[in-house]
Amino acid sequence: MQNETPMRVPVSLALSLAVGIFGFTAVLGVTHSIPAAGLIALAVGAVTGWGTYRHPAIALDEGACSARLKALAAGGAVVALVLVARLSVYIVDPAQVSYSLIPSSDWEVRHSCVSAYVVAGAAARAHPNVYDERLYNLPNDDPTAIRKARSIGPFKIDVFEYPPQFLLLPRGLQLLAPAFLDQRMLWFALEGGVILLALLLVARFVGPAAGTRALLLSPLVWAAVPTLSMLQKGNVHGVIIAISMVAMVLFERRRFASGGLLLGFATVSKLYPGLLCFYLLARRQWRAAAWTAAMGAALSVLTLADLGWAPFSSFLDHLPGLVGGEAFPAFRNPSAIAINMSVPGLAWKLKLFGVPGMGFAAAKIIGWIYTVIALVATVLAARRPQTRAEMPLVWLAILILATLRSPFLPNAYGVFPALWLLTLLASTYVPRPRVLGWTLAAWATLNIYWAVDWPVDPRIKALVNLLPQGLMVVLAVLALRRRAPDAAEPAASDFRQVPSGQSLAN
């Protein structure tokens, strides 16, 4: 592998532009000064570009790539950067609705997950029950009809459905930017920056050959509708997935304290990363599991010191509704039911078609059966020997299995880990036309997206949504069953790995 590769310049340029975009929104959210934000973003982007050129984020393996893959990466990077930059205009100025992802959808334009974080974080001390619907719903809200939300600025306030420990993050951001619209900019920058860092660290972890291919395929993650929708809404799902993956990389590098802090925060904030903790125990990675538990406990104590016991007491009362689904007002809306990606949510989709006996009770039964299946799959994956290139596949697959257990997983962000897993799976194959073709077809399927308020029969939405939902499961199964061929064996088909350093002519 050469020390200098033609790919180094465009990769460094793309990274510098991405960092500049996220840096601009972050600085503007704190300073309110466009000139200051522009100058700092330009400086940070230039430093990033120069630094990654002189010291590449991963060891680029030119011989592991084909000309077609490089062309796909170049085109994808341009499209992704344009889409993210375009979206940043709407993040900076919510009046610029035409720069939003789907301007034709009022729900897409006015929905902001950040609103729930900001309202709950600000109310946590004065109103300890942060799950009180009166914080988020209008007084005339009918619990049997589609939810009527309060507003904050031009956005409707979302409902807060996380454990109290999560509030450490939005309350910390409030110190930098107390106003909601300013925090919205910070969340955009935070989520984008964390995801970018995680993609790079995982690509570096798997090695030069697979890592280079994963890096070149990563624009497919950024250019996807679910990722852009997640960034626009500011949903923390992408951050949780990203820091969970970084934590697993850190554990493999024996950086247990930092890895434990990240996975501990992810687990106490969203619960589902706990399946990775179960994976650590099944693999007898005792130090990693212990550090995760210790950091989770420390974060809980810190939250207790900040907010007192009342939010925890309210959460314990709220928890059965979170697990069973009753706490989610989305189940009042047939269109929201149709775009639910979760396995327990299948019961509600059957109800749309008139199947009797479907509802919360049936969803709970399906959910607990699926929980057993996910736990067994995790144990089997943990006991199987894994190469470095296979480990991130298994971690992401486990996270996907965990997210599918949620009562409500909207397509607006639920598909994100599957998009990432698709690029990592594809990076383990020779990037020949057949492989790239299947990758793009799978990517297109995962991009099937329906806004809640589009006037389409919910039953049609539910049927179409089965395609990306089913593909998520297929990708997770493929990742859990993926076995790297012996490096000494020649690549006998399009679907064999190329050992590091083996060149591809086209």
Side-chain angles (χ1 to χ4, degrees):
M1 185 168 54
Q2 300 175 351
N3 293 326
E4 298 288 339
T5 72
M7 291 190 295
R8 185 176 294 190
V9 171
V11 167
S12 299
L13 178 61
L15 291 175
S16 68
L17 291 173
V19 170
I21 293 170
F22 295 128
F24 178 82
T25 57
V27 176
L28 187 62
V30 175
T31 66
H32 302 153
S33 170
I34 291 180
L39 288 174
I40 294 176
L42 183 63
V44 172
V47 170
T48 299
W50 178 250
T52 54
Y53 175 77
R54 294 297 302 271
H55 306 283
I58 69 171
L60 297 173
D61 187 348
E62 192 85 21
C65 307
S66 66
R68 292 181 179 87
L69 175 57
K70 294 175 186 176
L72 174 63
V78 171
V79 172
L81 287 167
V82 169
L83 290 174
V84 173
R86 177 179 179 272
L87 181 58
S88 70
V89 176
Y90 177 61
I91 298 298
V92 168
D93 182 4
Q96 301 295 328
V97 174
S98 60
Y99 288 89
S100 66
L101 179 62
I102 306 177
S104 62
S105 168
D106 183 70
W107 185 86
E108 288 285 333
V109 168
R110 300 188 64 191
H111 183 80
S112 171
C113 300
V114 177
S115 63
Y117 313 154
V118 173
V119 170
R125 284 187 173 175
H127 197 110
N129 183 9
V130 293
Y131 309 99
D132 187 347
E133 293 183 354
R134 290 175 296 180
L135 291 171
Y136 315 101
N137 299 345
L138 290 171
N140 63 342
D141 177 60
D142 181 355
T144 64
I146 295 177
R147 174 175 174 257
K148 296 179 180 179
R150 292 181 181 271
S151 295
I152 180 169
F155 297 95
K156 293 185 179 296
I157 299 177
D158 199 11
V159 179
F160 183 76
E161 303 287 11
Y162 306 141
Q165 296 92 323
F166 172 75
L167 291 174
L168 290 172
L169 182 55
R171 286 178 63 78
L173 292 178
Q174 282 175 0
L175 299 176
L176 296 173
F180 161 67
L181 293 180
D182 295 336
Q183 275 208 49
R184 180 170 170 264
M185 286 187 270
L186 286 184
W187 274 100
F188 176 78
L190 173 67
E191 185 146 41
V194 169
I195 291 173
L196 180 62
L197 179 62
L199 290 171
L200 290 173
L201 288 177
V202 171
R204 180 178 183 135
F205 176 78
V206 299
T212 300
R213 295 195 288 265
L215 181 65
L216 295 185
L217 288 167
S218 64
L220 294 179
V221 177
W222 293 104
V225 173
T227 303
L228 295 167
S229 176
M230 181 177 66
L231 289 172
Q232 176 173 303
K233 295 176 177 63
N235 191 281
V236 77
H237 186 67
V239 172
I240 297 298
I241 295 292
I243 65 174
S244 297
M245 292 292 289
V246 172
M248 299 303 286
V249 170
L250 291 172
F251 288 146
E252 293 300 319
R253 293 179 175 177
R254 304 187 65 79
R255 297 180 181 177
F256 296 106
S258 53
L261 177 61
L262 292 178
L263 187 56
F265 177 78
T267 301
V268 298
S269 296
K270 286 287 281 182
L271 302 181
Y272 68 78
L275 194 57
L276 278 181
C277 301
F278 186 74
Y279 166 85
L280 292 173
L281 292 173
R283 284 181 70 84
R284 300 182 179 180
Q285 293 181 249
W286 308 123
R287 290 185 64 183
W291 272 104
T292 301
M295 289 299 186
L299 291 167
S300 299
V301 171
L302 185 59
T303 306
L304 185 65
D306 180 34
L307 300 176
W309 173 250
F312 289 89
S313 177
S314 299
F315 175 70
L316 293 177
D317 293 335
H318 194 65
L319 184 58
L322 284 178
V323 176
E326 293 91 346
F328 294 91
F331 288 108
R332 307 182 199 172
N333 188 342
S335 289
I337 291 171
I339 63 169
N340 183 8
M341 307 291 290
S342 81
V343 171
L346 291 173
W348 286 89
K349 291 183 179 181
L350 291 174
K351 186 175 182 178
L352 291 177
F353 289 90
V355 177
M358 294 293 105
F360 287 121
K364 291 175 184 177
I365 294 173
I366 294 173
W368 287 116
I369 293 174
Y370 174 76
T371 300
V372 174
I373 295 173
L375 289 173
V376 171
T378 300
V379 171
L380 294 177
R383 291 182 174 179
R384 180 171 65 85
Q386 300 165 16
T387 65
R388 287 175 66 90
E390 292 170 331
M391 287 179 182
L393 303 180
V394 173
W395 303 335
L396 260 179
I398 290 173
L399 286 170
I400 289 173
L401 293 180
T403 60
L404 290 172
R405 171 57 180 89
S406 171
F408 185 68
L409 181 69
N411 61 355
Y413 55 80
V415 178
F416 166 72
L419 288 161
W420 190 359
L421 179 57
L422 173 65
T423 62
L424 291 179
L425 270 171
S427 72
T428 65
Y429 298 120
V430 176
R432 291 176 180 161
R434 187 180 178 188
V435 174
L436 296 180
W438 278 109
T439 300
L440 289 175
W443 179 82
T445 302
L446 292 174
N447 271 273
I448 294 175
Y449 187 85
W450 297 89
V452 170
D453 59 348
W454 281 352
V456 179
D457 189 317
R459 292 170 295 183
I460 296 177
K461 288 185 182 180
L463 288 175
V464 175
N465 196 65
L466 289 175
L467 293 175
Q469 184 180 19
L471 183 55
M472 288 179 66
V473 176
V474 170
L475 289 172
V477 171
L478 288 175
L480 292 175
R481 294 174 57 87
R482 183 77 172 98
R483 296 187 65 86
D486 188 283
E489 294 180 3
S493 74
D494 288 348
F495 298 93
R496 291 289 183 87
Q497 286 185 312
V498 176
S500 177
Q502 178 177 325
S503 179
L504 293 172
N506 293 302

